[in-house]
Each structure stands twice: as C-alpha cells, then as structure tokens.
Amino acid sequence: MKYSFSKFIALLLIISMLAACGTSEGNADASSSDSKDKKVLKMATSADFPPFESRDKDGNFQGFDIDLAHLIADKLGYELKIEDMKFDGLIGALQSSRVDMVMAGMSTTEKRKKNVDFSTEYNHSGEMFISQKDSELKGLQDLTGKTVGVQLGTIQEEGAEKLSEEYGFNVKKVDNSSILIQELKSNRVDVAYMDKTVAVGYIEEQGFSGFEDPTSSSPGMGIAFPKGSDLVDDVNKVLKELEENGKLQELKDKWLSE
C-alpha cells in the first residue's frame, strides 16, 4: 500500500512537470506567432539628400523624412524597415512591389503621378543653383556655355533639360547629390542644380555661393505608393493629424529651418 501510494505521488509529479512544459511551449509558440504577425512597413529612400535623408557617422538613417516616417509608422502600428537605393530606382521599386512606400524628398510631378500614387504634400521647397564661393555666376543669364550638374531622376534633371534649351548650358547627370558636390568642388561642373533646402545646407556647410531658380514654383514633396495602395488614405489622415497637432512643424523646425 505504501509502495502503491509512492508510485501514485511519482505519477502526479510527472504529470505536473509535463503540464508545466506544455504551458511553457504554448507561450513560446504564441510569442513567436506574435512576432511573425507584427506588421512591417517597408520604405525605400535615397540617403544622400540631407537634411531630408542621410546617414550619421554610425551609418544610421537620419533626417526630416526619416523622423516623419517613424511617426507615421508608429501611428499606424507598423514596424518601419528602411531600404537605401539610388533615387532613379525608387519608382521602379514601388512598381515591382519591393517596398510599400517611398520617402525621399520626392516632388509630386504629373509625370510621376502616372506611375505612382502620392500622399498629400508635406513640404514645399524650391530649387537653387550653387557654385564655388568666388564664382561670378549670379543668374541664369550667366550659365550660357557652362556645365550644370544634376542628380538623375530628380525634378531638377527635368528642369535643367528645359532651361538648357533657353539659356544654352550643358547638363551633366550623376547618381546622387554627394557625387554632385564632388563634381562641383573638383570643377567638373560649373554649377549644381538642386533642391533649395539641400542647397542652403551645402552653402552653409561648405561655403558655396548660389542663387534661386526664378523661373517656376516646383510641386511639393509627397510620399509615394504603388498605384491603388490602401495606405494612401491612412497616411493622409496621419499627416493631417501631425499638421494639426504641430508635430510636423516641430520636425521642420528641427531639420529644415535655415
């Protein structure tokens, strides 16, 4: 009887241990499942466009667009994943469904709207021509016979092509704004044509001179999505909220104030 009772107690202990193991495994599976089910928002950018997007000394993404993207992702309950690529490949990445959205200081041109959908515009800037500090280039009329550098795929590339017909300058196209600045510093281009906010940053940092493009008012910047994306309406609601509560202005004061 005593032996039987001992066996009974041992059996209860084994059952209890198995139950505990089962509970532990069940929780682990649930945790793993939760991780797998977490929504991921894949964003592409071209991190050579300070102060909108660039990398710090440790290689981390930083800038106005980066901070804004994180705010949007948080509001919508997504984990943000950022992929860096050349600017002229961004729309193709959307069309092939490699990413969910693009934030790269991208202007909402009519040409681009044929291929992607845009959010409401979240920033307006304009364009500038920048040159060496001692340059005598002070206006469009001084660019005849000169070489103007632009970044591939940008609104400035389109604008320079049109202006070159009227003002008689050559257009040189490069992959990114960092290369464009190197081209300017090494005198391989006479002028760099770029977004005004970015240009002002380079002028302050490296002592260039410059003048604004007086010919037209460029469209504002928007977040780009694949055609028909369900994210557009949700992101527009967040942008409106950030505008109304002052968070968008805080980011502009942090990154874009001259």
Side-chain angles (χ1 to χ4, degrees), residues 143-188:
L143 298 182
T144 302
K146 303 299 183 181
T147 299
V148 175
V150 294
Q151 182 179 353
L152 278 167
T154 62
I155 188 174
Q156 290 81 32
E157 178 188 0
E158 297 178 29
E161 292 284 6
K162 293 179 182 178
L163 290 173
S164 67
E165 297 175 3
E166 180 177 354
Y167 293 94
F169 57 77
N170 303 308
V171 179
K172 184 174 183 178
K173 304 172 185 180
V174 300
D175 283 338
N176 59 58
S177 62
S178 299
I179 295 175
L180 183 54
I181 293 301
Q182 290 304 315
E183 293 286 293
L184 179 60
K185 292 171 71 173
S186 59
N187 295 311
R188 287 191 288 267

Side-chain angles (χ1 to χ4, degrees), residues 212-245:
E212 292 187 36
D213 176 8
T215 60
S216 63
S217 178
S218 65
M221 296 174 180
I223 305 169
F225 302 88
K227 277 289 186 181
S229 173
D230 294 334
L231 282 169
V232 178
D233 289 340
D234 291 338
V235 169
N236 281 341
K237 290 176 183 176
V238 174
L239 287 174
K240 183 179 180 181
E241 179 183 344
L242 295 176
E243 178 74 37
E244 292 174 348
N245 65 21

Side-chain angles (χ1 to χ4, degrees), residues 60 74 111 115 119 139 159 162 164 208:
N60 300 310
D74 288 344
K111 181 178 179 180
N115 298 303
S119 69
K162 293 179 182 178
S164 67
F208 296 123

Side-chain angles (χ1 to χ4, degrees), residues 48-168:
D48 58 356
F49 198 58
F52 292 97
E53 40 268 325
S54 60
R55 292 181 184 266
D56 63 20
K57 58 183 177 62
D58 297 318
N60 300 310
F61 292 105
Q62 65 175 7
F64 175 78
D65 282 344
I66 305 303
D67 283 359
L68 180 56
H70 278 289
L71 281 178
I72 291 170
D74 288 344
K75 286 286 186 181
L76 296 178
Y78 286 99
E79 177 186 356
L80 184 66
K81 297 287 187 181
I82 304 175
E83 183 177 348
D84 192 9
M85 60 182 67
K86 291 181 180 180
F87 189 89
D88 62 346
L90 293 173
I91 288 181
L94 287 172
Q95 292 176 311
S96 61
S97 300
R98 284 176 55 194
V99 296
D100 302 307
M101 70 179 195
V102 162
M103 291 190 71
M106 184 175 284
S107 299
T108 61
T109 65
E110 293 304 316
K111 181 178 179 180
R112 288 175 180 149
K113 287 178 181 179
K114 295 177 182 178
N115 298 303
V116 299
D117 287 339
F118 279 103
S119 69
T120 52
E121 296 173 359
Y122 61 86
N123 185 65
H124 290 78
S125 186
E127 278 71 53
M128 279 191 78
F129 294 89
I130 64 173
S131 55
Q132 298 284 9
K133 185 176 182 179
D134 57 355
S135 172
E136 296 182 356
L137 304 176
K138 306 299 181 184
L140 289 171
Q141 67 279 0
D142 300 323
L143 298 182
T144 302
K146 303 299 183 181
T147 299
V148 175
V150 294
Q151 182 179 353
L152 278 167
T154 62
I155 188 174
Q156 290 81 32
E157 178 188 0
E158 297 178 29
E161 292 284 6
K162 293 179 182 178
L163 290 173
S164 67
E165 297 175 3
E166 180 177 354
Y167 293 94

